[in-house]
């Protein structure tokens, strides 16, 4: 009997009010293994797409995120994610430390898209798994020049050796 494994995890269906992300994660992570319909994942996922956390009208819209990634690592056997997209809640985003602890320290990630303004690149630079695996990041900014300067400095993106940075409207002397 051939066992098929999932290559992707797309949670965007939970953008609808009729789907409960937290309830799904709770059922997934607490059900005995035999009731999960043999839900198996490849060691390297092509993409993981979380639900748009802006659609959750709760005090903590990211409930279930840690449990999901913990389950993927410990029970799903996932070690690498080629593309991770986190459309975070813009008014109550996850903290840098939360994302670092529950995602970045568990998986090697190549493409990282986190919809959060002015993230501290130290969470990526300090991650042993991701310092060399990251090739592509998408950053969202308020336009704060000190944050932008840090991102393009040798202490920011400069410490991520495989990230290809193509400035869009930045002065070219910032890259030197």
């Amino acid at each position: 009997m051939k066992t098929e494994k999932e290559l992707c995890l797309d949670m965007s269906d939970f953008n609808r009010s009729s789907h409960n992300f937290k309830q799904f994660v709770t059922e997934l992570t607490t059900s005995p293994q035999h009731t999960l319909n043999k839900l198996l994942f490849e060691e390297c996922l092509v993409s993981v797409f979380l639900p748009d956390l802006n659609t959750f009208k709760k005090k903590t819209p990211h409930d279930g995120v840690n449990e999901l990634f913990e389950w993927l690592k410990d029970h799903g056997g996932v070690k690498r994610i080629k593309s991770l997209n986190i459309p975070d809640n813009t008014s109550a985003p996850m903290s840098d430390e939360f994302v670092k602890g529950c995602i970045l320290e568990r998986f090697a990630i190549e493409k990282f898209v986190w919809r959060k303004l002015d993230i501290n690149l130290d969470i990526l630079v300090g991650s042993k798994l991701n310092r060399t695996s990251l090739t592509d990041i998408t950053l969202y900014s308020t336009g704060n020049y000190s944050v932008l300067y840090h991102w393009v400095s040798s202490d920011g993106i400069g410490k991520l050796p495989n990230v290809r940075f193509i400035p869009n409207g930045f002065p070219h002397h910032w890259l030197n």
Side-chain angles (χ1 to χ4, degrees):
M1 182 172 160
K2 187 176 179 181
T3 304
E4 294 185 21
K5 295 183 177 183
E6 299 292 327
L7 286 171
C8 301
L9 179 60
D10 184 352
M11 306 297 286
S12 62
D13 275 349
F14 291 95
N15 294 347
R16 302 177 196 165
S17 60
S18 61
H19 293 65
N20 187 324
F21 174 71
K22 173 64 176 159
Q23 181 181 348
F24 171 80
V25 171
T26 299
E27 289 175 14
L28 176 71
T29 58
T30 60
S31 296
Q33 195 64 20
H34 67 278
T35 63
L36 294 177
N37 297 324
K38 309 278 187 210
L39 184 59
L40 302 171
F41 292 92
E42 291 290 343
E43 191 174 284
C44 177
L45 295 181
V46 173
S47 69
V48 173
F49 199 103
L50 291 183
D52 183 345
L53 299 178
N54 272 332
T55 62
F56 300 166
K57 307 296 183 213
K58 300 186 246 176
K59 187 176 178 181
T60 53
H62 46 78
D63 276 351
V65 171
N66 183 47
E67 293 83 358
L68 174 66
F69 284 100
E70 182 177 42
W71 185 88
L72 282 173
K73 179 72 174 178
D74 297 342
H75 300 284
V78 176
K79 294 180 180 174
R80 291 181 49 222
I81 299 171
K82 288 199 161 284
S83 178
L84 174 62
N85 192 314
I86 306 170
D88 206 347
N89 184 289
T90 51
S91 60
M94 294 180 272
S95 72
D96 293 351
E97 287 302 314
F98 180 83
V99 170
K100 179 181 177 184
C102 80
I103 301 171
L104 297 173
E105 290 181 347
R106 291 181 175 149
F107 306 95
I109 299 166
E110 289 181 29
K111 180 180 180 184
F112 183 68
V113 179
W114 179 20
R115 185 180 63 197
K116 181 182 178 189
L117 296 173
D118 298 336
I119 70 167
N120 184 343
L121 289 185
D122 291 344
I123 67 169
L124 300 173
V125 170
S127 168
K128 292 177 185 178
L129 283 173
N130 293 300
R131 187 179 311 124
T132 56
S133 66
L134 274 169
T135 60
D136 186 354
I137 58 176
T138 299
L139 301 171
Y140 295 85
S141 171
T142 59
N144 180 319
Y145 279 107
S146 63
V147 172
L148 294 171
Y149 183 78
H150 175 71
W151 284 353
V152 298
S153 74
S154 59
D155 290 328
I157 293 173
K159 288 201 174 180
L160 299 169
N162 296 320
V163 170
R164 298 166 291 160
F165 181 66
I166 302 170
N168 185 10
F170 291 114
H172 291 290
H173 69 274
W174 281 21
L175 300 175
N176 297 331

